[in-house]
Amino acid sequence: MSEFLEFRNVSKRFGAIQAVDGVSLGIKKGEFFSLLGPSGCGKTTMLRLAAGFEYPDTGQVILDGADITDLSPNKRKVNTIFQSYALFPHLNVWENIAFGLRVAKRSKRDIETEVEAMLRLIRMGDQAGKKPDQLSGGQKQRVAIARALINKPQVLLLDEPLAALDLKLRQRMLIELDMIHDQVGITFLYVTHDQGEAMSLSDRIAVMDSGRIEQVGSPAEIYETPRTSFVAAFIGDTNFLEGEVTGLVESEYCQVKIADIPGVICFNDKSMKPGNPVYLSIRPEKIHISRDRPEESRLRNIVPAVVEDMIYLGSTTKYWVRTHGLRVQVLRQHFRFFLDEKPIRWNDDVWIWWHGDDGFMLDRYRAVDEHLVALPPRKVGEPEDNNEKP
Amino acid sequence: MKRESRQKVRESLVSFPSLFWLSLFFIVPTLFVFAIALKPANPYGGIGSGWTWDNLRSLVNPNYLAVAWRTLWISVLSAAVCIVLATPIGYYLARVTARWKGFFLMLIIVPFWTNFLIRIFAWKVLLHPEGAIKKALAFSGLIGPQTSLLYNAGAVVLVTVYTFLPFTILPIYAAAEKFDFQLLEAARDLGAKRLQAFAKVFLPGIRRGLITAVLFVFIPALGSYVIPDIVGGPSGEMIGNKIAQRVFVDRNLPQASALSIVLILSVLAPLVTVLVLQRKRDKPESLL
């Protein structure tokens, strides 16, 4: 399928800030596409370029084969859900939803039937006479969605639509958004800094940083095979271990020396050569932990460690362990509660191990990413000046 | 319950000084005006004894009617021109960067450093038959050489607008400052043209500021006396000038009071209407 909404080499600068830096991106028809990134990464600017609130310095925006780069917002077949909803405070729910049709000078009968249909879709038929400030956050959200969808846009733009809601409501609205997307079947461009939202809703995600796109892919691709250290660090938790390739194993794997751990086996998808400096990224849930030494096996890395901190998280427990001077986080799910099993405690000697395929080698991350790669927290009770950097 | 009523007592105690001040220096004198209007005048410029309807009856006079009509249309037109000028100014003031905002607000306030009377006399100089504006307009053929810019109702409207424009800009600016400009983006996004968004979303959004601004021009313009006196001439006379004539020239206080009553009622009427309308509209919102 060809691209439906397309950014071609788009750049936008605000004063000294390069908000969007030569981005090319294609979104397919009917897709739920997310732009994910930290605040200030340019994702909202991308959305405003699509809506027509900003015009790019260079590049083009293409919608359904037509160049809409210089078209004003009212002439674009796209509609926006604003983070603050931007409902008109002087109009009630019914009038808010009818706004687009009234401006388009549709007949009274048409407007009435379509607004009623929208009110049914968002299940707010009995609230039609209320003013926005009498509505709850979730209701405002739904009115904003109805107000946009009634114009039958080709693309619906959503600017952090759930950011203002509390956790439970957010989870409910997530499901509702997903249902609405399935029902109306139009293209959604969703901007968020919340990876959970992006992961659970999107067909594809573009991870952005500093006005550039770091990676585009399905949620699983982004999570399982991050292409850059930024993506690995921004999506989920990960351990970054600094090392150097020392040798190749078979054709697909290589050995990495990390601190004074020799020969850590790692999948070599980047065709690294001996001598290359790398970062090894291993997700905490991919690392196993136990008191007993596991069986040796091909491609399995086994390292002794000492438990420094434990954080009980309900369904899982996070362990911070120290091995060869490195602090590593390990996430362990509680499968079953064994009364006779001796639980892992502070200062216990344990073994951690992971499969060679579960680690990813990444180029050394850029200095700007440092703040995202949260340094491992100090051991509880450890004095500040004693903190050594991993 | 008890607690609430105690709080109410406390609240009314707090408002007592201002209530006392208003009744002593505003309500009581107004009642005096009403009373004097029902008294006969005596030949020495004082107030005679007894009661009479003559003063109020004498108001039904084609001469007064013409002046009242002129007062009304000058005030309405001045208010309308002020709103039309002040709304875009208020809009841009709310949108420009903080540095320019300070500069422009300064420009609006600077004229107040010069005395009101002096500024009106300045207009007299500007509009004078030998003045630069008149000469330029006559030279360019926009007006005939005999047309007078001064001493007519047009001059009164011009100077009234000039005088009250800052008082309309400020409330509109204050309302625009609180306006969420993303609503305009939302309107544009939903298909509204620039002007449609302005009329359907911005104007209702600053409704309170607009009402305040209208009242700020309309009410003082109704009672305006100095401006028509200096630049109005006989064809620009307003009720205020008539009242002044009754007091200073005819020395007939009862007549002047009767005219003042008309003025007071015509000020109160729009004010009460606006208040009632506003209360009605705001009722559903008062839940919050």
Side-chain angles (χ1 to χ4, degrees), chain B residues 142-154:
Chain B
L142 285 171
I143 55 169
Q146 296 309 314
T147 316
S148 174
L149 296 179
L150 208 50
Y151 306 126
N152 56 36

Side-chain angles (χ1 to χ4, degrees), chain B residues 6-26:
Chain B
R6 242 198 356 240
Q7 182 145 5
K8 266 201 178 135
V9 170
R10 227 178 301 157
E11 272 171 16
S12 41
L13 270 180
V14 170
S15 63
F16 182 75
S18 57
L19 196 69
F20 175 77
W21 181 270
L22 270 179
S23 29
L24 193 64
F25 296 110
F26 183 72

